[in-house]
Amino acid sequence: MKAQIDHLVIVARTLAQGVQWCEATLGITPGPGGDHPLYGTHNRLAKIATPAHPLAYLEIIAINPEAKKASETGAARWFDVDDAALQAAVAIAPRLVHFVAQTDDLQAGRNALKALGIDRGPAVHASRHSRKGVLQWQITVREDGQRLFDGALPSLIQWGKPDAAEPLRLHPRNTLPRSGVTLQSVAVTHPTAAKLQAAYEAIGLTGIALDTGPANITVILHTPKGPLTLQSQGV
């Protein structure tokens, strides 16, 4: 199987602060996103695709104060957004915390990770309305909402209905305009880099530099303001 970077996850304390950060830091205003009723979050998006990362976009996500609490829906929020350390970090400024990898066989990816003793979580069916129709996908979300490996093991996403003839037709790559920001590289360091490398190989994920060291995801973007480095710093 093969996997590739689908999107980067930036968590903000509020979506308005996430938009302000994007404008001040990247020099662009993110495009529209949507609401996620199951997890009580909402987002804004920006296309950052390149030939090396043809699907890539940036997701700025925050807890939606108008949504039901996660306890009311029975689901822990995804991407560790309720984690105390993560909330303390994003209270200072929005932070890169995770990335999501696209695959056309999510179940095979889950099984490949399970064979390594890694529970990436069940496949959750999700959808939201977009300007061009209903966008549907499946994504792995653990029941506890944890990202694993300090965010460096990607969640897996499979776009469209399972029987869709054109599963990527409504992918944000095809609905978002060019933003002026492009993804140049993604690098990861982690104390358990060997196990993380085995996980990347199991899901067929390539193109990410991986080394042993303190937990960190480093992303380099080209922006209207020039080169920009984002880091998770173990959050």
Side-chain angles (χ1 to χ4, degrees):
M1 65 174 296
K2 291 184 179 180
Q4 61 183 314
I5 291 176
D6 189 81
H7 64 276
L8 309 179
V9 179
I10 306 289
V11 173
R13 189 171 69 85
T14 69
L15 198 54
Q17 289 181 347
V19 171
Q20 292 171 357
W21 170 87
C22 190
E23 292 173 339
T25 308
L26 277 65
I28 63 167
T29 300
D35 297 324
H36 314 115
L38 179 60
Y39 296 109
T41 57
H42 52 179
N43 65 9
R44 295 281 294 267
L45 311 176
K47 186 174 183 176
I48 58 172
T50 63
H53 305 287
L55 298 181
Y57 66 95
L58 187 72
E59 175 184 35
I60 299 171
I61 189 168
I63 293 172
N64 183 352
E66 298 181 0
K68 291 183 178 180
K69 293 182 180 179
S71 58
E72 295 180 43
T73 66
R77 289 190 176 101
W78 46 14
F79 307 145
D80 275 324
V81 296
D82 285 319
D83 178 76
L86 188 150
Q87 287 195 343
V90 303
I92 300 171
R95 178 72 68 89
L96 169 70
V97 302
H98 192 44
F99 64 100
V100 176
Q102 182 269 346
T103 176
D104 59 4
D105 194 338
L106 187 144
Q107 189 59 48
R110 291 181 64 238
N111 291 340
L113 292 174
K114 279 187 176 181
L116 297 176
I118 300 171
D119 181 7
R120 181 62 282 180
V124 175
H125 292 259
S127 66
R128 68 171 175 83
H129 291 279
S130 73
R131 290 175 296 175
K132 295 188 177 182
V134 178
L135 185 60
Q136 302 197 50
W137 67 94
Q138 300 174 69
I139 186 169
T140 55
V141 182
R142 287 171 55 94
E143 292 181 359
D144 56 14
Q146 291 183 9
R147 296 163 293 156
L148 301 182
F149 292 86
D150 303 280
L153 178 66
S155 298
L156 298 177
I157 194 167
Q158 182 174 348
W159 290 94
K161 292 182 178 180
D163 59 348
E166 297 179 273
L168 297 177
R169 184 175 67 85
L170 295 179
H171 187 279
R173 171 194 69 179
N174 298 324
T175 58
L176 290 168
R178 292 182 180 178
S179 67
V181 176
T182 53
L183 175 59
Q184 301 303 301
S185 65
V186 178
V188 169
T189 57
H190 200 272
T192 58
K195 188 170 184 178
L196 197 53
Q197 180 64 51
Y200 286 2
E201 291 175 358
I203 61 175
L205 179 64
T206 60
I208 296 177
L210 178 59
D211 206 348
T212 302
N216 193 28
I217 305 169
T218 301
V219 167
I220 298 178
L221 302 172
H222 180 75
T223 80
K225 291 176 171 286
L228 174 70
T229 300
L230 301 178
Q231 298 187 78
S232 66
Q233 296 179 326
V235 170

